[in-house]
Every structure is written in structure tokens, then in C-alpha cells.
Amino acid sequence: MMLRNTASVFALAASMMAASSALAQDAASATPSSEAQVGTDVATTTSAAAEERSPQAETGDIIVTAQKREQSLQDVPIVVSVINQQQLEAAGVRDVKDLQTITPGLNVTSSTSPAQTSIRIRGVGTIGDNPGLESSVGTIVDGVYRARSGVAFGDLGELERVEVLKGPQSTLFGKNMSAGVINVVTASPSFNPSAEFVGSYGNYNAWTVSGAATGALIGDTVAGRIFALKRERDGFWKVRTGAGPRTSDRADNENNWTVRAQLLIRPTDAINVRLIGDWSERDEDCCVNAPSIAGPTAAFIDALAPDAGTVRNGDPFDRVTYANRPTDFRIRDRGVSGQVDWDLSDNLSLTSITAYRFYRSNSGVDVDYSSADLWYRGSEGNSNRFKVFSQEARLAYNSDRLNSILGVFYADERLVSRQNTFFGSDYERYFGLLLSGGTNGNAVSALTGLPVGTNFVANTGQRDFHRHRASSFAVFTDNTFTLAEGLDLTLGIRYTDEVKRATSRYTNTSPGNACAAAIARRLPTAALSAICSPTADVAFNDVTITQRRPENRWAGSAKLQYRISPQVMAYGSYANGFKSGGFNLDRARLAPGVLNPDTSFATEKVESYELGTKTTLLDRRLFANIAGFYQTYKDFQLNTYTGVSFVVTSIPKVTSKGVDLDLLFNTGIQGLTLNAGATYADTTFGDFPPPLPNLTRLSGNRLPYAAKWNVTGGFTSKQPITDDLNLRASASLKWSSRYNTGSNLDPLKVQEPFAILNTRIGIEPENEAWSLEVWAQNLTNSQFYQVIVDQPLQTGTYGAFLGQPRLYGVTGRVRF
């Protein structure tokens, strides 16, 4: 079936390419496109020369590639938040997570490890620690799709700009873009030689050194660029380790390094080739949480641990916690890509992007987050490894009345996931105390009839292996027709054919005797569930399951835009898209002792309507863009933690409606630019019966992390102090309204409104040869939760993963 469909779309692609070539020949006399090709040395942000001409300087064109061709932001009928290099440096953006402080409507959180990062736009995104679950918000770096949100979470290095595209973008960018796209454009090689060295030092003994250089290597044919960074920082958390074996008493440290090398090759004026290789490593002690509420089981934890076991009546923002097992975390991320841009004629160009990426994460977890030895995951056998090959080719035709893109895309993603969860030495006694109400630590043996100490043998438990492969092929086209002067219609369509395969091998390193005995004795439900958790379930003794899921989908978009005047463009759009269905790579069962062989979940589908205007005012000093949106999701993929395992559930309907506003204002005061943005999003579940017992609160309520209001604002300023010395200052503020951090909308998991303020001030000479800056992130030390969770195995106890505290320091730069 896939081969037949592939042949069909190749035939369609070939016929459309032939038609495009004919159009190119017929239109040979048409006016050439003025848009610069990718890889050339063009200004893509505010013109510094224009700023210096007069106090009434223009803001200048902001160039984006939101429609896979370079356009002015004010000509694109999409909501796009663009952050240029100056704003990124001023806000201290290092990775995707930092973007949320300067992008309204963007929320990024992580919990048990940085590899488990969730990105949401307008309140919609993917939650959970499950490698089989893809993101609703896609991340693209230099034209290459990153397979998961966690894979995209790392130092981005030198950046030219970041574009955050809101709403479904499936037509041009493909599957898994049902909520939006983060399009990262890094600095490319230049033939003009330059170099920069940066050093920073801050609190928590944080230090960073980086160096970058670019310039011509072979005349005007080959240019190179290299960037390298090393970053270290002590941990935020003080950890009480009980009897161990953990030895580290700090957590949430940093130990990262990144290298990116590039070549830009121009064999002719018509061909640009950009080759990129990058390598990054992270070795950290991450992540821990602290109880925000200690429940009745906390007394049993205290009874088992030598040092109180868990926080009691404390403030989680004291950042003191308990963990007796290591929480070590490692990432190895590397890749190569090659982009070829070829001007076939004045009107026709070809772009090809070929990439291969490798990613592996290992994480150790103290699953119970206490110094009692209950439950843990060892980092050596708890890993996810991705190998992804992708190829995209696009043919673009540009004339006065038609701008057209025809493309094909292929990706082969291979994932190997190894998962372990082991019992600690206190596991059996802890459940004895639970089942007996705290009176008998040997109650499990009394129920199963097995000798004490043999029900849950220490350092045994779950050891699973998943092999997952996704092969996808797509053909797409996007065409903008000029119907009349100022009136453009854009029509796009994409066909995707994908096959996913998963082989899961479940093993128990102990045979699950306690669970088997509990089932045989027909224990009451509460006792059976406690003794027969998925980790201990005899149903998973040496079982292999193989699954296959083929899928083919159409996605499309239609946009009508009208330039009312040179200053005002209005547009309306419709788009639909999807996020692939897949397999839950966790233990799934129908009941204790009964394995569920089908772990698949349905495709997430979306339809979106948008009306907006893009306005350029005050002699091009003010950009004011506003849009209203209405998005409906069907079979929304919700990943929720039951206390012992993750379950992916399809929610029948989710609706997101609201307004996006973006402002950029060159004040007319020399060197002072203001920016502001706001997103109002009412993102709610539809009405439906609860799919699981722990999801009774969802129907008709707002999604987790779906704040109704996200507001950002900031400024950048460059003012003279002397004839040869300038003062630079900047600030960015983000305010978020109230939202719930729990996938089950537990009212005890609410984050109240909060604000984050980042600031920077420094001096530099007129020639910008050096600079010295002092900076602070979260200057007011705002206290906020990333995630509040039900603490595993501990009824009534809630754990909090916290946002970062106040960070401050000094940075020096030297440029050549």
C-alpha cells in the first residue's frame, strides 16, 4: 500500500515539477524575485544604518522564512513572533526553554529530566515522559526537524533569529506541527572575517566560555564558521541522601559543551551549499522535586529513612529535598546536514536539505523522591536513543503573479528505548505499612504467604526494551496567486504516508511471585493493586509484543490576504493538520495479571481559523500585528501519570480560541526600541465521560498549563555616554495568569499568576570591539512551579518541580 501511494505521489510531483518548469520558461522575461537566497550575507533584522540616520529611523524589514521562502514579516498571513539576535542576547536565550520569557503564548516545562521537555503554544502541547509520544509543537533548526521536544532542548549557540509560528503548520512543515513550530535559524558563515570570545561568571559558581570565528577560507568560494561553548554551574538544590548509595548532596547542576562547525561553498553565483556539523554533551545531576504537600504516607517514609525521609511542613522553594538514589543525567546529541540552494533560472530555484542526527539520553531517577529506599531507575539501563535520517527537496517558482513551492520529504526515525524500574530495600516494608495502616511492616507476606523479604527483592524489578521505527514520506505544494493588485490567495496541500512499527520486550528480573500469589488468593482490589503494580506484574514476565500502524493523511491550508494600503494588510486563513498516532512505550494492562497487547493511540487532528491584520505605522517605526484564532482538536493526545505508569488517552475534543498581539516600536529616541506581546487563549476540553478514573475533572475545563493570559514586554537601548563609549541596556518581562500544572487538573496543582523579569546593562565602545555587561534572570526571584505531580506511591503527597531561581552575573565580550 505504501509503495503504491509513494509511486502515486512521485508521479504527481513529477508532473507538477514539469508544469513549474514550463511556467519558468514561459515567464523568462518576468521580473526576478528580489528575495535573497538562504546562505547569502543579507540583513535580516532591523537596519543599524537606518537607525543611525535620524531620530525618526525606520524599524526596517524583519525577514522570516515562515512559508519556506524569505519574506517580510508584514507580508506573511501567519501569526509569527520573531526574536532577532539582539533580543536573544539581551534576554539571555540559550535554549528553547528560555524562549518562553520573551514569546507570548509559549510555555516550556520539564520534570524528571531535561530530555522530557514539553512545549505548548496557545495552551496546546504534549505532556509526559514517554518517548513514543511526539510533540504537538515541532522544532526546526536550520531546516532540520528535531524528533522530540527533549531532543531540541540544548544550547543553540550563535543565533540569527528564532521564529515562533502559532497554530497548525502541517502543510509546509509536516506532521507533528498541530499546535505550531519553533523555527531556529543559526548564524551562517560569512566571507567577512570576524571573531568573538565571551566569558561569563555568576552565582551558583556558574561560568561559561565560548568562542566563534568566521571568514573566507578559499577566496570568495568557501567560507567557514566555528562555534564552541563550555558551561558549568553548581546545583540549586541541597539533597539529603539518607543511607545512600547516592553521594552527591547537590542537584540541578550544569556541565555542558557544544561545538558547531560550518562551511559555505559557492562554486558559482547560482549555487550555495551550506554544510553543518554539531556535537553537544550534557552531564548533569538532574532532576529532583520537593513535596509541596506532605500526605498521610509521609509518616511511613519517615519511619523507613534515617534522616526524616521527606520534607515535612517546609517550603519547597527552600530547595532542600531528599533522595537516596542517584539522579544522574547524560545527553549525547550530534548531527550533520547539508543544504543546497540552486538558482535554476531567474524564476526557478531548487533547495535540498539532507540530514542525519543521533541522540541518546540516560537518566537515573529516585522515583519516590525521598531518602527511603523504595523505587528507582538506574541511568545505565534507562535510556532513549534516536537515529534519524531526513531528506527534503523543494522547487520554488517566483513571478509577479505566482509564487509556488513544490516539495517532497522523507524521514526514517529509529528509536531504541531501554527502561528499568527497580525495587529498593524498603519497598516491601513500605507496602506492609500502607496495607496495615502503619502497624505491620510484614503485612505483604501475611497476604501473599511468601516469606518476608522475598515478595519484592531489592534491586530487581522491571527491565523493558522497545524498538520503534517510523518511516514517512510526504509531498506538498504551497502556491500564492496574485488575483488583483494587493489581493493574494495562497493554497497549500500535503499528503503524508507513514508506517510505525514497535517491538516491545517486557521482562521482570524477579518473577513477580508476590503478584501471582495476590491474584491466586483473590485479594481485595486495594491490596491487589498495591502488590501487583505494573512493575511487579507477573503478566510481564518475558513477553514480546510486535505492533504495526500504517497511516496516510492529507493536510491543507487556504489564506486570503489583502493589502488595504501600503501600511495595512488584512488576512483570513483556514488550516488543518495532524499529529501522528503511535504507541505508548510503557507497560499497559487491562487488569492486574492481564497484559494489554495493544498500546496504540489515535491520530490527533486539528482545524484552525484565523483573522488578522499586520500594520506598519509612524513612518515604519511601529509594527502592530493582531489576530483572532479558533482551533478545534479531535482525539487530542493526553499523557497522564497514574502514580505507577503513564497512559496515553485520546480526548474527543479540545478547543482553543483567542487573540494574539505583537508590537515592535522604534521610539524615535536614538537607540531605543520597545516590544510587547499578548496572547489570550481560552483552551478547554470538550464535554465527555472520563476515560480514566483519575481524569474526572477534565470535561469542560481548561487544559493543564493553559493560562488564559500571557503578556510580554521589553526594551533594548543604546545610548552614548562619551564620544566613544555607549551604554547598552535591555529588559524583558513575562507575566502569566493562573493555570493548573496537573494532567488530571487536581485543584492542589494550581500555579498562581507570576512574572519573570530579565535585565542586562553594559558598556561598549563605538566600534563594538568589546563589551562588559551585568545581567540577571528572574531578577525578582519569582517563585513558580514548572510541574506539580502526585508523588509516586505516596497517596496525598504532592511533589513540585520548580522554576529556576534568580541568576545573576557578569559577561565580557571581545570582538575582532
Coordinates of all heavy atoms in Angstrom, one line a residue, residues 62 64 66 73 78-84 87 99 102-106 121 161-166 181-183 614 625 660-663 676-679 712:
I62 N 11.7 43.0 8.8 CA 12.0 41.8 9.5 C 11.8 40.6 8.6 O 10.7 40.3 8.1 CB 11.2 41.6 10.8 CG1 11.4 42.8 11.7 CG2 11.5 40.3 11.5 CD1 10.6 42.8 12.9
V64 N 11.5 36.7 7.5 CA 11.2 35.4 8.1 C 11.1 34.4 7.0 O 11.0 34.7 5.8 CB 9.9 35.5 8.9 CG1 10.0 36.4 10.0 CG2 8.7 35.9 8.0
A66 N 8.8 31.8 7.4 CA 7.7 31.1 7.9 C 6.9 30.3 6.8 O 6.2 29.3 7.1 CB 6.7 32.0 8.6
L73 N 8.1 40.0 7.4 CA 7.1 39.6 8.4 C 5.7 40.2 8.1 O 4.7 39.5 8.2 CB 7.6 40.0 9.8 CG 6.6 39.8 10.9 CD1 6.3 38.3 11.1 CD2 7.1 40.4 12.2
I78 N 0.4 34.8 8.6 CA 0.5 33.8 9.7 C 0.9 34.6 11.0 O 1.6 35.6 10.9 CB 1.6 32.7 9.5 CG1 1.3 31.9 8.2 CG2 1.8 31.8 10.6 CD1 2.4 31.0 7.8
V79 N 0.5 34.2 12.2 CA 1.0 34.8 13.4 C 2.4 34.2 13.7 O 2.6 33.0 13.9 CB 0.0 34.4 14.6 CG1 0.6 35.0 15.9 CG2 -1.3 35.0 14.4
V80 N 3.3 35.1 13.6 CA 4.7 34.7 13.8 C 5.4 35.7 14.8 O 5.3 36.9 14.6 CB 5.6 34.8 12.5 CG1 7.0 34.3 12.7 CG2 4.9 34.0 11.4
S81 N 5.9 35.2 15.9 CA 6.7 36.0 16.9 C 8.1 35.8 16.5 O 8.6 34.7 16.5 CB 6.4 35.6 18.3 OG 5.1 35.8 18.7
V82 N 8.8 36.9 16.1 CA 10.2 36.9 15.7 C 11.1 37.5 16.7 O 10.8 38.6 17.2 CB 10.3 37.6 14.3 CG1 11.8 37.4 13.8 CG2 9.4 37.1 13.3
I83 N 12.1 36.8 17.1 CA 13.1 37.3 18.1 C 14.4 37.4 17.4 O 15.0 36.3 16.9 CB 13.2 36.4 19.3 CG1 11.8 36.2 19.9 CG2 14.1 37.1 20.4 CD1 11.2 34.9 19.6
N84 N 14.9 38.6 17.2 CA 16.2 38.7 16.5 C 17.4 38.5 17.4 O 17.3 38.3 18.6 CB 16.3 40.1 15.8 CG 16.2 41.2 16.7 OD1 16.7 41.2 17.8 ND2 15.7 42.4 16.3
Q87 N 17.7 40.8 20.5 CA 16.7 40.4 21.6 C 17.1 39.1 22.2 O 17.0 39.0 23.5 CB 15.3 40.3 21.0 CG 14.7 41.6 20.5 CD 13.4 41.4 19.8 OE1 13.4 40.7 18.7 NE2 12.3 41.9 20.3
L99 N 13.1 30.7 25.6 CA 12.3 31.5 24.7 C 11.0 31.9 25.3 O 10.4 32.9 24.9 CB 12.0 30.7 23.4 CG 13.1 30.5 22.4 CD1 12.7 29.6 21.3 CD2 13.6 31.9 21.8
I102 N 10.2 35.5 26.5 CA 10.0 36.6 25.5 C 9.1 36.4 24.4 O 8.9 37.1 23.5 CB 11.4 37.0 24.9 CG1 12.1 35.8 24.3 CG2 12.3 37.7 25.9 CD1 13.4 36.2 23.6
T103 N 8.3 35.2 24.5 CA 7.3 34.9 23.5 C 6.0 34.7 24.1 O 5.8 33.7 24.9 CB 7.8 33.6 22.8 OG1 9.1 33.7 22.3 CG2 6.9 33.3 21.6
P104 N 5.0 35.5 23.9 CA 3.7 35.3 24.5 C 3.0 34.1 23.9 O 3.1 33.8 22.7 CB 2.9 36.6 24.0 CG 3.6 37.1 22.8 CD 5.1 36.7 23.0
G105 N 2.4 33.4 24.8 CA 1.7 32.2 24.4 C 2.5 30.9 24.3 O 2.0 29.8 24.0
L106 N 3.8 31.0 24.7 CA 4.7 29.9 24.6 C 5.0 29.4 26.0 O 5.4 30.2 26.9 CB 6.0 30.2 23.9 CG 7.1 29.1 23.8 CD1 6.6 27.9 23.0 CD2 8.4 29.7 23.3
I121 N 1.9 25.9 22.8 CA 1.6 27.2 22.2 C 0.1 27.3 22.3 O -0.7 26.4 21.9 CB 2.1 27.3 20.7 CG1 3.6 27.3 20.7 CG2 1.5 28.5 20.0 CD1 4.2 27.3 19.3
R161 N 18.1 34.4 14.3 CA 16.8 34.7 14.8 C 16.0 33.4 15.1 O 16.5 32.3 14.8 CB 16.0 35.5 13.7 CG 15.7 34.6 12.5 CD 14.9 35.4 11.4 NE 14.5 34.6 10.3 CZ 15.3 34.3 9.3 NH1 16.6 34.8 9.3 NH2 14.9 33.6 8.3
V162 N 14.9 33.6 15.8 CA 14.0 32.5 16.1 C 12.6 32.9 15.7 O 12.2 34.0 16.1 CB 14.0 32.0 17.6 CG1 13.0 31.0 17.8 CG2 15.4 31.5 18.0
E163 N 11.9 32.1 15.0 CA 10.5 32.4 14.6 C 9.6 31.4 15.3 O 9.8 30.2 15.2 CB 10.4 32.3 13.1 CG 11.3 33.1 12.3 CD 11.4 32.7 10.8 OE1 10.6 31.8 10.4 OE2 12.3 33.2 10.1
V164 N 8.6 31.9 16.0 CA 7.6 31.0 16.6 C 6.3 31.2 15.9 O 5.7 32.2 15.9 CB 7.4 31.4 18.1 CG1 6.4 30.5 18.8 CG2 8.7 31.3 18.9
L165 N 6.0 30.1 15.1 CA 4.8 30.1 14.3 C 3.6 29.5 15.1 O 3.8 28.4 15.6 CB 5.0 29.3 13.0 CG 5.9 29.9 11.9 CD1 7.3 30.2 12.4 CD2 5.9 28.9 10.7
K166 N 2.6 30.2 15.2 CA 1.5 29.8 16.1 C 0.3 29.2 15.3 O 0.0 29.7 14.2 CB 1.0 30.9 17.0 CG 2.1 31.5 17.8 CD 1.6 32.7 18.7 CE 2.7 33.2 19.5 NZ 2.3 34.4 20.3
V181 N 5.1 25.8 15.4 CA 6.5 25.5 15.0 C 7.5 26.5 15.7 O 7.2 27.7 15.7 CB 6.7 25.5 13.5 CG1 8.2 25.4 13.1 CG2 5.9 24.4 12.8
I182 N 8.6 26.0 16.2 CA 9.7 26.9 16.6 C 10.8 26.7 15.6 O 11.4 25.6 15.4 CB 10.2 26.5 18.0 CG1 9.1 26.7 19.0 CG2 11.4 27.4 18.3 CD1 9.5 26.3 20.4
N183 N 11.0 27.7 14.8 CA 11.9 27.7 13.6 C 13.2 28.5 14.0 O 13.2 29.7 14.1 CB 11.3 28.3 12.4 CG 12.2 28.1 11.2 OD1 12.9 27.2 11.0 ND2 12.1 29.1 10.3
K614 N -1.9 43.1 9.8 CA -0.5 43.4 10.0 C -0.3 44.9 9.6 O -0.6 45.2 8.4 CB 0.5 42.5 9.3 CG 0.3 41.1 9.8 CD 1.5 40.2 9.5 CE 1.4 38.9 10.2 NZ 2.6 38.0 10.0
N625 N 0.7 44.0 15.0 CA 0.0 42.8 14.4 C -0.9 42.2 15.4 O -0.6 42.0 16.5 CB 1.1 41.8 14.0 CG 2.1 42.4 13.0 OD1 1.8 43.3 12.2 ND2 3.3 41.8 12.9
D660 N -4.0 37.0 19.5 CA -2.6 37.2 19.6 C -2.3 38.7 19.2 O -2.8 39.2 18.2 CB -1.8 36.3 18.6 CG -1.6 34.9 19.2 OD1 -1.1 34.8 20.3 OD2 -2.0 33.9 18.5
L661 N -1.4 39.3 19.9 CA -1.0 40.7 19.6 C 0.5 40.8 19.7 O 1.1 40.3 20.7 CB -1.6 41.7 20.6 CG -1.2 43.1 20.6 CD1 -1.6 43.8 19.3 CD2 -1.7 43.9 21.8
D662 N 1.2 41.4 18.7 CA 2.6 41.7 18.7 C 2.9 43.1 18.3 O 2.3 43.6 17.3 CB 3.3 40.7 17.8 CG 3.5 39.3 18.4 OD1 4.3 39.2 19.3 OD2 2.9 38.4 17.9
L663 N 3.7 43.8 19.1 CA 4.1 45.2 18.8 C 5.6 45.3 18.8 O 6.3 44.8 19.7 CB 3.5 46.1 19.9 CG 2.0 46.1 20.0 CD1 1.6 47.0 21.3 CD2 1.3 46.7 18.8
A676 N 6.4 44.4 22.7 CA 5.4 43.9 23.6 C 4.5 42.9 22.8 O 4.4 42.8 21.6 CB 4.5 45.0 24.1
G677 N 3.9 42.0 23.6 CA 3.1 40.9 23.0 C 2.1 40.4 24.0 O 2.4 40.5 25.3
A678 N 1.0 39.9 23.6 CA 0.0 39.3 24.5 C -0.7 38.2 23.7 O -1.0 38.3 22.5 CB -1.0 40.3 25.0
T679 N -1.0 37.1 24.4 CA -1.9 36.1 23.9 C -3.0 35.8 24.9 O -2.7 35.5 26.1 CB -1.1 34.8 23.7 OG1 -0.1 35.0 22.7 CG2 -2.0 33.6 23.3
T712 N 4.0 39.7 27.4 CA 5.4 40.0 27.4 C 5.7 41.5 27.0 O 4.9 42.1 26.4 CB 6.2 39.1 26.4 OG1 5.7 39.4 25.1 CG2 6.0 37.6 26.7

